[in-house]
Amino acid sequence: EVQLVESGGDLAQPGGSLRLSCVVSEITFSNYAMSWVRQAPGKGLEWVSTISGSGSSTYYADSVKGRFTISRDNSKNTLYLQMNSLRAEDTAVYYCAKARGRFGDLDYWGQGTLVTVSS
Amino acid sequence: DIQMTQSPSSLSASAGDRVTITCRASQSISGYLNWYQHKPGKAPKFLIYAASSLQSGVPSRFSGSGSGTEFTLTISSLQPEDFATYYCQQSYSTPYTFGQGTKLEIK
């Protein structure tokens, strides 16, 4: 069974940085695009970013463009999200998700990691 | 950006009921529409892709239909484990927008 385990969520100050990680097992990791999706408290799901299997192509929501960077290390089966210039509105549970084939079709998800941005 | 609008936002139903959730896109997305189930504190679950294809392992009481701008998710006979929030999502183009969610509650 495919497993995705996120880590790195924490309390950060406005303007601060955090790096999230997601370790994926039981798949040939480099064959699949990966995404980050978040859910702010009391809100719905919001797509954040996607990276291709090779890492050569990346896509971002306008709300995080220029502040967040998605990357991957295929030798470690690990996905990353570097989050800089954090804002209160970035407070959310962040999920990593695997693409089924088409980049936006997210067939397996992790349990999420909580990021809180507050002074 | 493509806006996704679900209706209703919440729904009360009983076990055994048939329920339908509608999702509308602000422009045509062909058949690139997914449905997810989400329970508090859990990972979202992928139910249906390409508007009507059932993900492996998902019970056959779930079905999807539609194309272009209007789509539906139907649960033919609600089971206790189906009470959750359901989201549609378009995978036609980035940003891969989600609907606002439909919370399915026990009547």
Side-chain angles (χ1 to χ4, degrees):
Chain A
E1 176 78 3
V2 179
Q3 289 197 336
L4 296 84
V5 180
E6 303 97 335
S7 62
D10 204 345
L11 173 64
Q13 294 204 335
S17 298
L18 282 176
R19 188 175 83 155
L20 306 183
S21 299
C22 172
V23 177
V24 184
S25 57
E26 306 300 328
I27 61 168
T28 304
F29 184 61
S30 60
N31 284 355
Y32 298 96
M34 297 292 298
S35 292
W36 290 98
V37 176
R38 68 185 180 183
Q39 184 176 36
K43 303 294 186 181
L45 299 174
E46 178 189 16
W47 173 79
V48 172
S49 184
T50 294
I51 186 168
S52 63
S54 66
S56 61
S57 298
T58 57
Y59 310 86
Y60 297 94
D62 284 348
S63 57
V64 306
K65 198 173 295 181
R67 301 188 299 122
F68 290 10
T69 301
I70 191 171
S71 63
R72 63 193 296 159
D73 184 337
N74 287 343
S75 69
K76 296 182 178 178
N77 280 21
T78 303
L79 174 72
Y80 301 102
L81 186 68
Q82 178 67 43
M83 310 166 67
N84 297 334
S85 303
L86 283 163
R87 305 167 179 168
E89 55 264 35
D90 295 319
T91 295
V93 174
Y94 285 74
Y95 298 96
C96 66
K98 167 192 165 293
R100 177 183 170 275
R102 191 169 180 80
F103 281 13
D105 298 349
L106 307 176
D107 61 352
Y108 288 94
W109 298 58
Q111 295 283 345
T113 188
L114 176 62
V115 171
T116 303
V117 183
S118 174
S119 54
Chain B
D1 296 0
I2 299 172
Q3 307 303 316
M4 306 300 294
T5 304
Q6 289 180 232
S7 60
S9 295
S10 63
L11 177 58
S12 294
S14 302
D17 285 353
R18 178 185 180 92
V19 298
T20 297
I21 299 169
T22 298
C23 178
R24 289 186 173 86
S26 60
Q27 66 184 73
S28 177
I29 57 170
S30 187
Y32 297 114
L33 191 282
N34 303 316
W35 290 98
Y36 301 86
Q37 177 192 69
H38 193 201
K39 297 180 180 179
K42 301 288 190 180
K45 181 180 180 181
F46 187 55
L47 298 177
I48 288 172
Y49 62 96
S52 60
S53 295
L54 202 63
Q55 170 69 351
S56 176
V58 174
S60 59
R61 62 181 180 273
F62 291 90
S63 64
S65 66
S67 67
T69 61
E70 187 150 338
F71 302 86
T72 59
L73 171 70
T74 299
I75 310 172
S76 60
S77 178
L78 277 172
Q79 299 301 301
E81 61 267 29
D82 299 337
F83 292 94
T85 300
Y86 292 84
Y87 294 92
C88 63
Q89 177 230 8
Q90 62 84 15
S91 62
Y92 180 78
S93 65
T94 59
Y96 297 130
T97 40
F98 289 85
Q100 80 277 18
T102 295
K103 187 173 184 179
L104 180 53
E105 299 174 304
I106 301 172
K107 186 183 287 185

